[in-house]
Amino acid sequence: MIDDRPVLDDHLHLDPDNNRGIDAVRDFARVGGTHLLVVNKPSWHLGVEAETGEDFRAVFERTIEIVDDASSELAGRAWPVLGVHPGLISRLVDDRGVSPEDARDLMQAGLDVAAEYVESGEALALKSGRPHYEVDDDVWAASNAVMRHAFEHGAALECAVQLHAEASEDMTEVADWAEDAGLPSRRVVKHYAGGRLEGPTPSVMSNKDRLETAAERGEPFLMETDYIDDPDRPGAVLGPKTVPRRVRWLLENGHDEAVRIAHVETPRRVYGIDTEATLERDG
């Protein structure tokens, strides 16, 4: 721990069968990390080429298993975030010749299965979004429909929805869609965010410049690495030790309040979790 504080990485991936897995969790814990939100890897990365919503269940079950193992390594705990990666639509349409409408239906069915785990208490939140790269109008419309379906589940379950989407500092339209579905915009989390974002809650990539911007704003934010646990792409994102190290850096630079916002107040506000109460302190 760092000064007896909770330290949460809001978005990372662990490969349950290959790559570093639990060793990455141990690295995180060794430098002061205490809590993790573990997002299931894209289904095809775990060898699942889904044809029905039920096909995603194997991905979700394996994610839940490694999250349970991760919790045993932490002074706090880990929670699963389950859903369908928005990039799947391109894999379905471009590689498998599926129509955008059928791809939409399949991805929504996968979210229906993910929602079952949130309802049962086995998962904390859902993941959805839309491609962060250019696609044609039909794929864009289908992707937005998938995302809005996730918002409907979030509203019904009173859970957060993490979004993988394009880089932006203004996603008020998306936040409005969530509100229209009955999901408060604070429970929409933009993963891989910069330090400034209007609309959803930003889950800020833990680069110093982005964090400094977020800290100086004084608004709710989270910190993440988007660690992908893929040895073939070691420099693609940040390593599992990054969030604890950046917390130390923020504290050294007088941003104590920002650290509390990111690791105590915003997790409670967005996910309804208490990172302090779930922290095992010596004595």
Side-chain angles (χ1 to χ4, degrees):
M1 283 182 280
I2 300 172
D3 298 337
D4 217 27
R5 301 169 185 265
V7 174
L8 169 73
D9 188 332
D10 181 62
H11 184 111
L12 87 167
H13 306 276
L14 298 172
D15 193 311
D17 301 308
N18 305 293
N19 309 327
R20 300 202 63 224
I22 293 300
D23 284 341
V25 178
R26 292 177 180 136
D27 279 353
F28 172 74
R30 197 174 295 122
V31 294
T34 62
H35 294 77
L36 293 171
L37 265 61
V38 181
V39 184
N40 61 267
K41 296 193 79 170
S43 50
W44 62 96
H45 286 189
L46 297 182
V48 174
E49 297 291 353
E51 296 182 358
T52 70
E54 280 297 314
D55 291 341
F56 292 95
R57 196 174 295 277
V59 175
F60 303 150
E61 293 281 356
R62 290 297 290 122
T63 303
I64 290 168
E65 288 172 9
I66 198 169
V67 169
D68 287 343
D69 292 342
S71 285
S72 68
E73 301 289 338
L74 297 170
R77 60 163 295 181
W79 291 270
V81 176
L82 305 180
V84 180
H85 193 287
L88 177 61
I89 197 164
S90 296
R91 191 171 181 87
L92 292 169
V93 173
D94 297 342
D95 299 345
R96 289 170 51 183
V98 176
S99 72
E101 294 75 22
D102 286 345
R104 173 201 63 205
D105 292 348
L106 173 58
M107 294 170 72
Q108 289 180 340
L111 284 168
D112 294 343
V113 175
E116 294 177 18
Y117 291 95
V118 176
E119 186 172 24
S120 69
E122 294 175 272
L124 179 67
L126 296 172
K127 174 191 175 178
S128 187
R130 61 190 183 191
H132 64 275
Y133 47 86
E134 189 171 345
V135 294
D136 66 33
D137 290 346
D138 289 342
V139 170
W140 187 249
S143 297
N144 281 326
V146 172
M147 182 168 59
R148 296 178 81 150
H149 190 67
F151 294 157
E152 291 169 2
H153 276 303
L157 296 166
E158 297 185 346
C159 76
V161 178
Q162 286 198 10
L163 297 182
H164 176 112
E166 72 278 7
S168 177
E169 291 188 351
D170 187 347
M171 298 190 74
T172 51
E173 181 183 44
V174 169
D176 288 346
W177 291 349
E179 294 275 357
D180 289 344
L183 178 67
S185 59
R186 72 176 186 277
R187 286 189 168 155
V188 180
V189 178
K190 171 62 171 73
H191 137 71
Y192 212 103
R196 180 178 288 103
L197 178 65
E198 299 300 326
T201 299
S203 183
V204 178
M205 278 294 284
S206 294
N207 307 102
K208 289 182 178 180
D209 56 343
R210 296 189 187 204
L211 290 176
E212 194 163 40
T213 298
E216 290 174 353
R217 291 187 77 211
E219 299 291 329
F221 76 103
L222 298 151
M223 290 173 60
E224 69 165 79
T225 57
D226 191 27
Y227 176 67
I228 59 174
D229 201 5
D230 185 347
D232 293 332
R233 300 174 61 202
V237 286
L238 302 175
K241 298 179 183 178
T242 307
V243 165
R245 287 174 170 170
R246 293 293 187 261
V247 166
R248 292 183 192 277
W249 174 79
L250 285 167
L251 293 171
E252 289 166 1
N253 285 275
H255 292 301
D256 296 58
E257 180 60 22
V259 169
R260 181 168 181 80
I261 288 171
H263 299 276
V264 178
E265 294 176 7
T266 307
R268 182 185 294 118
R269 180 176 187 266
V270 172
Y271 300 108
I273 58 177
D274 190 330
T275 55
E276 292 181 315
T278 51
L279 192 60
E280 295 178 6
R281 294 181 169 93
D282 293 337

